[in-house]
Amino acid sequence: MSAECSSYLNADKVLVSGFSCPRTGGDARAVYCCGFQDVKYCCDDPHSFFPYEHSYMWWLSVGALVGLSIAAVVLFAFVITVCVLCYLFISTKPRSKLDTGLSLQMAGKTSC
């Protein structure tokens, strides 16, 4: 079993001619063409081929960081809001005991 890696332009925009896997003098198990559009190599895992330029990963990382930053700000705002509401609830509670509506009298004394 062998695979053909097509020619490609590397990161320096230099044309690299195509080659067959496994390469002469390389690992005999590396029968698959793997890598990116700007760097290809022979490997032993058929699922390692990645048909995109690796520069996309930078944008994915930036997008993930922006998303996580927004989520952190929303979570922080939620926690601050809960703390403020708890403080307002506690500070505006009446400090006196509730009136039950019953008058207190001494036992044994009757009034006429």
Side-chain angles (χ1 to χ4, degrees), residues 13-53:
K13 305 296 183 202
V14 175
L15 180 66
V16 177
S17 58
F19 54 90
S20 295
C21 295
R23 290 186 114 167
T24 312
D27 187 1
R29 294 175 297 161
V31 293
Y32 301 102
C33 182
C34 301
F36 303 95
Q37 287 183 349
D38 58 351
V39 61
K40 294 181 182 180
Y41 56 93
C42 296
C43 66
D44 60 352
D45 183 6
H47 303 293
S48 291
F49 180 74
F50 205 78
Y52 305 104
E53 291 184 17

Side-chain angles (χ1 to χ4, degrees), residues 42-96:
C42 296
C43 66
D44 60 352
D45 183 6
H47 303 293
S48 291
F49 180 74
F50 205 78
Y52 305 104
E53 291 184 17
H54 61 272
S55 63
Y56 99 98
M57 287 190 253
W58 171 250
W59 290 110
L60 180 64
S61 298
V62 169
L65 287 175
V66 168
L68 288 173
S69 299
I70 291 171
V73 167
V74 169
L75 179 64
F76 183 69
F78 176 76
V79 169
I80 294 298
T81 303
V82 168
C83 290
V84 167
L85 290 175
C86 286
Y87 172 76
L88 290 174
F89 177 76
I90 291 170
S91 66
T92 58
K93 256 171 69 171
R95 303 229 184 257
S96 63

